[in-house]
Amino acid sequence: MTDQTTPTSRFALFEQSWRRKARDQGSPIERLAMPSVLYPAISRPDPMFSGPDFLFVSRKGGKLYVSDLLVDRPHPVVADLARVAERFYSANTEQDRDRRPKYTPGGVIVAPDRPTADFLVRKADRSEDAGTLASSLMLADALPASSRFVVLTEALARKFFLPAALDEDSLEDWMEAFGMRRTRTFANLRSLLLMVYRGPGGLDAQDRHLPDAEPNMGSVSRPAAVSESYLMGASRGRSLEGQCSQFSTVTSITNRWDFLVNSDPLGRRAAELDGRVFTAQSGISPTTLQVTSPFVAREGKAIIALPQHRPVGPRDLSDTLTVEEIAVSPDGTTEIRINHRSAHVVAGGQPVQFIAAPFMPSYMGAPGKKWTARESEGTVTAPVRQVPLAITLAGAPTAPVAAAA
């Protein structure tokens, strides 16, 4: 967005305002305090594992090249997509059948920009050697922020406001904004990549190396990263049940990411525009909140009081307030009546920021029936499958199924 653009929505005006501030400051301004890319975690990592591979892909003259960002002097080589797929997927590192196997988180593929990312997906889709790499990358690309398939320009745009008049889709403009030469050296690429991993739950400001061990991730971010690691492995399944599972996992990860962004100490600024985050204070009674700004809350649902200068923690998530009633007082002020057991959260009369309690289920499946008729001694049977209830009902027949002759 440039100064010549005349935005009309509050979000576009917000974006333009902060990008102008970044231009006046002479450098990008943080949009999020947290990392804009999560570490690729998994629930039971191999203790001998030294860290994920970071593979940087580039293109030149219609060819795809790959470089290892963890070596001191990366050297681009023509991409062997079979080898790229092997390093991308997590590996079982324990053969003992009596114990649950350990896994590595798999590799991280980094593309400098959107055209290169799309080029990689097209090449993988046409390659017989890449297996299901293309479908995995498309699934990762469907997420709001993938920990396994990183488009660097987009990750930077999630983390920072770029100064006005510079192009968010240009990696060279990001280099210029951070005072680097407009050259795609590996030193510049590593520096930019480090920036998107910094923040609470990620790298510290003094870290100068890509993450090689899981940081102290939060109770919301870690399950999202774990789910994605499993999603990448499950993306190789082509069954209907597998695709339903993939859809549910993508939805769960998206819900978690949206909550992380909206509750982030800096991300709340944008969420306040439409009431996803709203400010309220105690009303005439300890169980009444007064709200004078847009808000998103529903009767019978829970809201969470946000801490002032830090991300939401496990205690914040458990200390919810139940909305009993929403009403408008005679003076036009909106009042939210909360459950009396939650009143201690807003004691003191100071303004407090709130957000709707997130819906963040993890897909586990549930017993149900898969309504697929099959022959069994002249009768039709409905074999039991692990299928979510919603899918079970959606697939149920509306008329009796005739038995096969």
Side-chain angles (χ1 to χ4, degrees), residues 31-34 200 260-269 307-312 353:
R31 185 191 298 265
L32 294 176
M34 69 178 213
L260 285 169
V261 170
N262 293 335
S263 63
D264 181 82
L266 299 181
R268 298 172 198 173
R269 296 173 299 195
Q308 285 190 342
H309 304 297
R310 62 172 176 81
V312 172
Q353 288 184 311

Side-chain angles (χ1 to χ4, degrees), residues 226-309:
V226 168
S227 294
E228 186 180 356
S229 286
Y230 282 119
L231 177 66
M232 293 299 98
S235 64
R236 288 175 280 189
R238 299 298 180 89
S239 67
L240 176 61
E241 184 178 358
Q243 291 178 0
C244 291
S245 172
Q246 293 166 19
F247 176 81
S248 299
T249 304
V250 169
T251 301
S252 174
I253 295 171
T254 301
N255 290 343
R256 289 178 180 275
W257 179 260
D258 289 345
F259 178 77
L260 285 169
V261 170
N262 293 335
S263 63
D264 181 82
L266 299 181
R268 298 172 198 173
R269 296 173 299 195
E272 287 180 305
L273 296 176
D274 60 358
R276 286 168 293 164
V277 170
F278 61 94
T279 302
Q281 62 184 37
S282 299
I284 58 176
S285 70
T287 59
T288 303
L289 300 176
Q290 290 187 338
V291 186
T292 57
S293 61
F295 68 95
V296 176
R298 293 173 58 189
E299 294 179 355
K301 300 297 183 179
I303 56 177
I304 295 173
L306 295 175
Q308 285 190 342
H309 304 297

Side-chain angles (χ1 to χ4, degrees), residues 308-370:
Q308 285 190 342
H309 304 297
R310 62 172 176 81
V312 172
R315 184 173 180 179
D316 304 308
L317 288 171
S318 62
D319 222 358
T320 60
L321 296 79
T322 301
V323 177
E324 298 284 344
E325 183 182 11
I326 300 175
V328 179
S329 63
D331 63 357
T333 302
T334 301
E335 294 183 346
I336 298 177
R337 185 165 63 84
I338 58 176
N339 187 294
H340 70 279
R341 297 176 182 176
S342 309
H344 68 282
V345 178
V346 290
Q350 296 298 318
V352 178
Q353 288 184 311
F354 293 92
I355 188 172
F359 178 67
M360 301 182 296
S362 296
Y363 177 76
M364 298 298 292
K369 292 182 178 180
K370 183 177 180 182

Side-chain angles (χ1 to χ4, degrees), residues 387-398:
V387 182
L389 180 60
I391 302 301
T392 300
L393 297 178
T398 57

